[in-house]
PDB file of all heavy atoms in Angstrom:
ATOM      1  N   GLY L  38     -16.109  -8.906   5.740  1.00 91.00           N
ATOM      2  CA  GLY L  38     -14.872  -9.594   5.270  1.00 91.00           C
ATOM      3  C   GLY L  38     -14.416 -10.695   6.280  1.00 91.00           C
ATOM      4  O   GLY L  38     -15.265 -11.179   7.075  1.00 91.00           O
ATOM      5  N   TYR L  39     -13.206 -11.030   6.193  1.00 91.00           N
ATOM      6  CA  TYR L  39     -12.581 -12.232   6.995  1.00 91.00           C
ATOM      7  C   TYR L  39     -11.723 -11.584   8.042  1.00 91.00           C
ATOM      8  O   TYR L  39     -10.888 -10.749   7.833  1.00 91.00           O
ATOM      9  CB  TYR L  39     -11.741 -12.988   5.993  1.00 91.00           C
ATOM     10  CG  TYR L  39     -11.010 -14.175   6.669  1.00 91.00           C
ATOM     11  CD1 TYR L  39     -11.761 -15.154   7.159  1.00 91.00           C
ATOM     12  CD2 TYR L  39      -9.655 -14.118   6.679  1.00 91.00           C
ATOM     13  CE1 TYR L  39     -11.004 -16.193   7.790  1.00 91.00           C
ATOM     14  CE2 TYR L  39      -8.940 -15.213   7.255  1.00 91.00           C
ATOM     15  CZ  TYR L  39      -9.597 -16.248   7.866  1.00 91.00           C
ATOM     16  OH  TYR L  39      -8.904 -17.210   8.400  1.00 91.00           O
ATOM     17  N   MET L  40     -11.947 -12.100   9.291  1.00 93.00           N
ATOM     18  CA  MET L  40     -11.183 -11.628  10.451  1.00 93.00           C
ATOM     19  C   MET L  40     -10.794 -12.759  11.329  1.00 93.00           C
ATOM     20  O   MET L  40     -11.657 -13.568  11.726  1.00 93.00           O
ATOM     21  CB  MET L  40     -12.043 -10.582  11.148  1.00 93.00           C
ATOM     22  CG  MET L  40     -11.388 -10.004  12.442  1.00 93.00           C
ATOM     23  SD  MET L  40     -10.250  -8.756  12.172  1.00 93.00           S
ATOM     24  CE  MET L  40     -11.175  -7.478  11.443  1.00 93.00           C
ATOM     25  N   ILE L  41      -9.549 -12.776  11.759  1.00 93.00           N
ATOM     26  CA  ILE L  41      -9.137 -13.793  12.738  1.00 93.00           C
ATOM     27  C   ILE L  41      -9.164 -13.107  14.165  1.00 93.00           C
ATOM     28  O   ILE L  41      -8.871 -11.903  14.318  1.00 93.00           O
ATOM     29  CB  ILE L  41      -7.815 -14.482  12.399  1.00 93.00           C
ATOM     30  CG1 ILE L  41      -6.728 -13.341  12.302  1.00 93.00           C
ATOM     31  CG2 ILE L  41      -7.902 -15.279  11.175  1.00 93.00           C
ATOM     32  CD1 ILE L  41      -5.231 -13.965  12.018  1.00 93.00           C
ATOM     33  N   HIS L  42      -9.450 -13.927  15.167  1.00 93.00           N
ATOM     34  CA  HIS L  42      -9.520 -13.361  16.562  1.00 93.00           C
ATOM     35  C   HIS L  42      -8.602 -13.944  17.499  1.00 93.00           C
ATOM     36  O   HIS L  42      -8.537 -13.429  18.641  1.00 93.00           O
ATOM     37  CB  HIS L  42     -10.968 -13.515  17.016  1.00 93.00           C
ATOM     38  CG  HIS L  42     -11.978 -12.626  16.345  1.00 93.00           C
ATOM     39  ND1 HIS L  42     -12.077 -11.319  16.560  1.00 93.00           N
ATOM     40  CD2 HIS L  42     -12.800 -12.910  15.260  1.00 93.00           C
ATOM     41  CE1 HIS L  42     -12.991 -10.879  15.753  1.00 93.00           C
ATOM     42  NE2 HIS L  42     -13.454 -11.783  14.907  1.00 93.00           N
ATOM     43  N   SER L  43      -7.993 -15.060  17.233  1.00 93.00           N
ATOM     44  CA  SER L  43      -7.175 -15.767  18.270  1.00 93.00           C
ATOM     45  C   SER L  43      -5.870 -16.317  17.595  1.00 93.00           C
ATOM     46  O   SER L  43      -5.718 -16.485  16.423  1.00 93.00           O
ATOM     47  CB  SER L  43      -7.992 -16.925  18.925  1.00 93.00           C
ATOM     48  OG  SER L  43      -8.299 -17.878  17.948  1.00 93.00           O
ATOM     49  N   GLY L  44      -4.917 -16.667  18.524  1.00 92.00           N
ATOM     50  CA  GLY L  44      -3.657 -17.248  18.084  1.00 92.00           C
ATOM     51  C   GLY L  44      -2.595 -16.280  17.762  1.00 92.00           C
ATOM     52  O   GLY L  44      -2.810 -14.978  17.911  1.00 92.00           O
ATOM     53  N   ASN L  45      -1.432 -16.654  17.435  1.00 92.00           N
ATOM     54  CA  ASN L  45      -0.237 -15.877  17.236  1.00 92.00           C
ATOM     55  C   ASN L  45      -0.361 -15.049  15.940  1.00 92.00           C
ATOM     56  O   ASN L  45       0.138 -13.945  15.843  1.00 92.00           O
ATOM     57  CB  ASN L  45       1.023 -16.797  17.119  1.00 92.00           C
ATOM     58  CG  ASN L  45       2.225 -15.989  17.191  1.00 92.00           C
ATOM     59  OD1 ASN L  45       2.343 -14.950  17.829  1.00 92.00           O
ATOM     60  ND2 ASN L  45       3.263 -16.417  16.426  1.00 92.00           N
ATOM     61  N   PRO L  46      -1.094 -15.456  14.871  1.00 91.00           N
ATOM     62  CA  PRO L  46      -1.230 -14.632  13.632  1.00 91.00           C
ATOM     63  C   PRO L  46      -1.922 -13.293  13.939  1.00 91.00           C
ATOM     64  O   PRO L  46      -1.716 -12.342  13.066  1.00 91.00           O
ATOM     65  CB  PRO L  46      -1.918 -15.520  12.667  1.00 91.00           C
ATOM     66  CG  PRO L  46      -1.613 -16.814  13.029  1.00 91.00           C
ATOM     67  CD  PRO L  46      -1.584 -16.793  14.552  1.00 91.00           C
ATOM     68  N   THR L  47      -2.783 -13.156  14.969  1.00 93.00           N
ATOM     69  CA  THR L  47      -3.319 -11.947  15.266  1.00 93.00           C
ATOM     70  C   THR L  47      -2.343 -10.818  15.549  1.00 93.00           C
ATOM     71  O   THR L  47      -2.645  -9.576  15.327  1.00 93.00           O
ATOM     72  CB  THR L  47      -4.335 -12.065  16.444  1.00 93.00           C
ATOM     73  OG1 THR L  47      -3.572 -12.400  17.617  1.00 93.00           O
ATOM     74  CG2 THR L  47      -5.470 -12.951  16.143  1.00 93.00           C
ATOM     75  N   LYS L  48      -1.078 -11.156  15.987  1.00 93.00           N
ATOM     76  CA  LYS L  48      -0.108 -10.181  16.178  1.00 93.00           C
ATOM     77  C   LYS L  48       0.430  -9.574  15.004  1.00 93.00           C
ATOM     78  O   LYS L  48       0.893  -8.409  14.914  1.00 93.00           O
ATOM     79  CB  LYS L  48       0.952 -10.727  17.052  1.00 93.00           C
ATOM     80  CG  LYS L  48       0.634 -11.215  18.509  1.00 93.00           C
ATOM     81  CD  LYS L  48       1.801 -11.803  19.168  1.00 93.00           C
ATOM     82  CE  LYS L  48       1.334 -12.421  20.464  1.00 93.00           C
ATOM     83  NZ  LYS L  48       2.350 -13.114  21.212  1.00 93.00           N
ATOM     84  N   HIS L  49       0.373 -10.320  13.917  1.00 92.00           N
ATOM     85  CA  HIS L  49       0.944  -9.913  12.663  1.00 92.00           C
ATOM     86  C   HIS L  49      -0.055  -9.409  11.659  1.00 92.00           C
ATOM     87  O   HIS L  49       0.227  -8.559  10.821  1.00 92.00           O
ATOM     88  CB  HIS L  49       1.693 -11.125  11.940  1.00 92.00           C
ATOM     89  CG  HIS L  49       2.819 -11.596  12.882  1.00 92.00           C
ATOM     90  ND1 HIS L  49       3.880 -11.011  13.071  1.00 92.00           N
ATOM     91  CD2 HIS L  49       2.785 -12.856  13.585  1.00 92.00           C
ATOM     92  CE1 HIS L  49       4.748 -11.730  13.991  1.00 92.00           C
ATOM     93  NE2 HIS L  49       3.954 -12.832  14.284  1.00 92.00           N
ATOM     94  N   TYR L  50      -1.237  -9.957  11.691  1.00 92.00           N
ATOM     95  CA  TYR L  50      -2.302  -9.725  10.685  1.00 92.00           C
ATOM     96  C   TYR L  50      -3.400  -8.583  11.075  1.00 92.00           C
ATOM     97  O   TYR L  50      -4.056  -8.098  10.268  1.00 92.00           O
ATOM     98  CB  TYR L  50      -3.015 -10.961  10.311  1.00 92.00           C
ATOM     99  CG  TYR L  50      -2.344 -11.804   9.315  1.00 92.00           C
ATOM    100  CD1 TYR L  50      -1.415 -12.756   9.802  1.00 92.00           C
ATOM    101  CD2 TYR L  50      -2.492 -11.575   7.985  1.00 92.00           C
ATOM    102  CE1 TYR L  50      -0.817 -13.583   8.818  1.00 92.00           C
ATOM    103  CE2 TYR L  50      -1.807 -12.388   6.997  1.00 92.00           C
ATOM    104  CZ  TYR L  50      -0.961 -13.375   7.471  1.00 92.00           C
ATOM    105  OH  TYR L  50      -0.314 -14.098   6.605  1.00 92.00           O
TER     106      TYR L  50
END
Side-chain angles (χ1 to χ4, degrees):
Y39 177 67
M40 178 77 64
I41 57 174
H42 292 279
S43 62
N45 191 36
T47 57
K48 297 177 183 176
H49 304 286
Y50 278 91

